[in-house]
Structure formats: structure tokens, C-alpha cells
Amino acid sequence: MKILVPVKRVVDYNVKVRVKADGTGVDIANVKMSMNPFDEIAVEEAVRLKEKGAATEVIAVSCGVTQCQETLRTAMAIGADRAIHVETDAELQPLAVAKLLAALVAKEQPGLVILGKQAIDDDANQTGQMLAALTDLPQATFASKVDVADGKAQVTREIDGGLETLSVSLPAVVTTDLRLNEPRYVTLPNIMKAKKKPLESVKPEDLGVDVTPRLKTLKVAEPAGRKAGIKVSDVAALVDKLKNEAKVI
């Protein structure tokens, strides 16, 4: 069984993002980029399933600019067998990415697609669900545990009220939550091995997909700064402030 793992190149989670002066987006010039943390968890889970014997091949996929190949090399250093880069300079929105992935699913015929539940740059949480709809595959989102056996995936997912366990027939789409696993440390020997693993590059046109953006960003702004707190002398003063200034009671 093949496992397809889409990964996204995003601003590193340790970096404090800055909004461009003209408000058109986030400034990524000279900013450290890395693999989306949720996707890193997805790669780790796919590799673990392969190590258990539930899968025979792990394929990493990334869509975007040329630098996405660095992210794919990281995925292969974790344990992916090969990678596919859909190269484009266009702004990729969730629907476009889902269409590209759907075309690759049709081409590669994986038994399982595992991807992060959301990317930390846009927080859209849409690509996995859209991919399942486009490919007409069963889906299990926000997975905190995945077991594969006998042509089915047993997925424990996190919901508001606690945990829910689903059994889905393969092929299927699974999106990962933070508590699914802890990705392994990438060693130098594995980084060197990753450089020799195959990395295929294709264009959206080769897959017959139109990636024209459907949404337009009007403005990006930082959240307003929080006002400093104040101390009050007694409960009466607190009630007065809440009633007359904050107007919450």
C-alpha cells in the first residue's frame, strides 16, 4: 500500500511574523521557513505505518515554489521514499491544492492520504476535507491515533466532547492532530540519504489543473495591542469599572 503525504512550506513556528508595510500580506523575505508542524506529524505517522508493515511506500508531495524541494528533502530524511513537487509560483489556495492532490491521487492510487489538519500560516483547515470530497473518499479528521489493518483504518479523532473512534474503508483521507505522535529527530546520515532519493517535478498544467486564485486578500493587519491592566482598591471600585467603563454588567 502506498501512503501519500502532502507537506507545506510555511514560516517557521518559532518566528514572529511581520505584516508588510502596505498591508498586502506577511513579510517572508529573509525569514526562516520550515515544514508545517501538522504535516511533519503526518510524515512521521506514515513512516511509522510503513515500519509496522502496513505500507510499502511513502510518497511526500508539496505544491509551490522551487524552495518547496527543501521541505520535501526533510520529509525524505524523516523516512519518505520519494517525493513529488508540483512547481508553481501562483498563490495556491486550499481548493487549488486539493485539486492538485486529487490529480496525484488518481495517478498514484495510494491506499491512504495523510496530511496535517491545517497549515499554521492560513489556518484554513480545508484542504483535507476538499480532497476527500473531490476524490469521493472516506475521511477522518483531527486524528490522534491511527491503526491500519484488513483494508480499514481505525481512527481515533478529537472532538469537543472528548474522543470519537471511526472505522473507514481504504483508500481514505486522514488529517492529523497534534497529539497523534512526536516527530523523530532528523539525523545527518538520513539527511545525506535523502539527497539521493528520487524527487519528481511536475507543473499544474501537466496534471490538468487550473490553480487560478478564487479569493482575493483585501488587507492584512496585525491584531490591536492589548491595553495595560489596572489595579482597583476594592470590590466596589471593580464593579464600578466593569459597569461604567467596560460596560459588561
Side-chain angles (χ1 to χ4, degrees), residues 183-209:
R184 68 193 69 188
Y185 177 76
V186 179
T187 61
L188 184 58
N190 285 340
I191 292 174
M192 301 307 293
K193 289 177 185 176
K195 293 181 179 180
K196 298 180 181 178
K197 291 182 179 180
L199 194 160
E200 178 188 356
S201 186
V202 297
K203 302 278 188 184
E205 309 87 74
D206 302 332
L207 300 172
V209 177

Side-chain angles (χ1 to χ4, degrees), residues 92 95 116 146 237:
L92 291 175
L95 180 59
V146 178

Side-chain angles (χ1 to χ4, degrees), residues 158-178:
E158 300 190 356
I159 58 175
D160 291 341
L163 299 176
E164 178 183 59
T165 302
L166 299 177
S167 178
V168 293
S169 301
L170 300 180
V173 176
V174 174
T175 69
T176 64
D177 215 327
L178 279 176

Side-chain angles (χ1 to χ4, degrees), residues 85-145:
H85 176 215
V86 183
E87 187 174 2
T88 176
D89 293 327
E91 177 195 350
L92 291 175
Q93 295 173 351
L95 180 59
V97 176
K99 287 181 177 178
L100 291 170
L101 294 177
L104 290 173
V105 166
K107 178 183 176 183
E108 295 289 342
Q109 294 293 309
L112 188 63
V113 182
I114 305 180
L115 65 161
K117 70 172 184 177
Q118 65 195 72
I120 61 171
D121 52 1
D122 58 16
D123 274 335
N125 184 15
Q126 295 174 343
T127 305
Q129 292 88 327
M130 287 178 169
L131 174 62
L134 290 171
T135 54
D136 197 25
L137 294 177
Q139 62 175 311
T141 55
F142 315 139
S144 60
K145 184 179 180 183

Side-chain angles (χ1 to χ4, degrees), residues 61-82:
V61 180
S62 190
C63 308
V65 295
T66 305
Q67 291 88 334
C68 289
Q69 293 186 11
E70 300 168 11
T71 307
L72 288 170
R73 292 294 179 192
T74 301
M76 289 190 285
I78 294 173
D81 299 291
R82 60 186 173 96

